[in-house]
Amino acid sequence: MMNPIKVLNKLLRMAFLVWAMIVIPTGSLVPGLGRQAIAYGDPALPIVSDASIYSIEIYPHYHQLIVKTQGQKFKTYPVAVGNPATPTPVGEYKVIYKGTNWGPAFGPRWLGLNVPWGTYGIHGTNRPYSIGQNLSHGCIRMRNRDVMELYELIPLGTKVTIYGHILGNSRQDPRALAAGDIGGDVQLIQSRLKSAGYFNGVCNGKFRADTTAALKQYQRDHGLIPNGVVSVKVYESLGLLE
């Protein structure tokens, strides 16, 4: 009978071999940014995240990014986050690619997240004065020296948890939503409309024609102005505001 420690070590070696095979440095064409050196990993493979002892927690309200190792706080960095019109996406994600030199606005390093409705990541900036403020378009900005340190530290598959309320600041009304908007709040509206039997599409956080049509029908059936805009009254009708 084999020693269980030896069996575990063998499994771990196999795991890292598989991890090495799926993390493939490659060149990828990114719209508007040109060809970049990016390493890709498949977020659906749990072996990637299992190999990481690190996790990241982001607190937009406090403008902090915290790196934890095996659940214990390891490092804290100041960050800039999204403004109210383009909020940083709240939820649990993974680092699915790492890139370098995406252009001055993105600093020297980029860690991409698997947000379903757009391209979001943790990156550097050529606007260091924005750190500590809500001035980004949803991404998490870091000082360039900090993001370079984070880039070397964090492997693909690392879990990233962004805290906050999906509908934004609890002290003010959530943003009005209409065609063209994206975000977790859009995804939440789609989910509520689907539960009510109005939306048959994919809850992907993208406000497109199918979401508009479903919303207008919901508004007509519930005595609301059928303008395809998610107003405070729509939030209330859907049970998202009291």
Side-chain angles (χ1 to χ4, degrees), residues 21-66:
M21 290 173 66
I22 64 174
V23 179
I24 306 171
T26 185
S28 175
L29 190 61
V30 180
L33 295 175
R35 190 166 294 280
Q36 309 296 327
I38 300 174
Y40 286 88
D42 187 341
L45 294 175
I47 200 161
V48 179
S49 57
D50 288 345
S52 176
I53 64 171
Y54 297 102
S55 62
I56 293 174
E57 295 182 355
I58 297 170
Y59 296 86
H61 183 70
Y62 300 104
H63 303 97
Q64 286 187 344
L65 182 152
I66 297 173

Side-chain angles (χ1 to χ4, degrees), residues 76-78 131 142-151:
T76 300
Y77 299 100
I131 302 301
M142 301 181 70
R143 290 199 275 261
N144 288 338
R145 65 176 183 271
D146 291 342
V147 78
M148 291 179 71
E149 184 176 273
L150 188 72
Y151 183 93

Side-chain angles (χ1 to χ4, degrees), residues 128-231:
Y129 59 83
S130 68
I131 302 301
Q133 301 186 63
N134 295 58
L135 288 178
S136 83
H137 292 101
C139 287
I140 297 92
R141 295 180 189 170
M142 301 181 70
R143 290 199 275 261
N144 288 338
R145 65 176 183 271
D146 291 342
V147 78
M148 291 179 71
E149 184 176 273
L150 188 72
Y151 183 93
E152 296 300 324
L153 185 67
I154 297 300
L156 291 169
T158 297
K159 179 181 176 182
V160 178
T161 304
I162 303 176
Y163 289 91
H165 197 288
I166 292 175
L167 297 182
N169 191 332
S170 60
R171 292 171 294 182
Q172 63 187 40
D173 290 336
R175 62 178 182 154
L177 300 172
D181 286 329
I182 57 174
D185 44 6
V186 175
Q187 189 178 45
L188 183 57
I189 293 296
Q190 290 171 327
S191 178
R192 288 298 175 99
L193 289 172
K194 175 167 279 194
S195 296
Y198 288 88
F199 182 64
N200 297 316
V202 179
C203 299
N204 56 11
K206 299 176 182 179
F207 205 127
R208 302 291 184 258
D210 54 351
T211 305
T212 299
L215 176 59
K216 285 184 176 180
Q217 187 58 53
Y218 178 88
Q219 289 173 319
R220 281 191 287 268
D221 290 350
H222 290 79
L224 302 169
I225 299 173
N227 57 4
V229 176
V230 181
S231 63

Side-chain angles (χ1 to χ4, degrees), residues 3-19:
N3 187 311
I5 299 300
K6 290 183 178 179
V7 173
L8 179 60
N9 286 335
K10 185 176 180 180
L11 289 172
L12 287 172
R13 284 196 296 272
M14 291 174 63
F16 276 100
L17 283 173
V18 174
W19 179 84

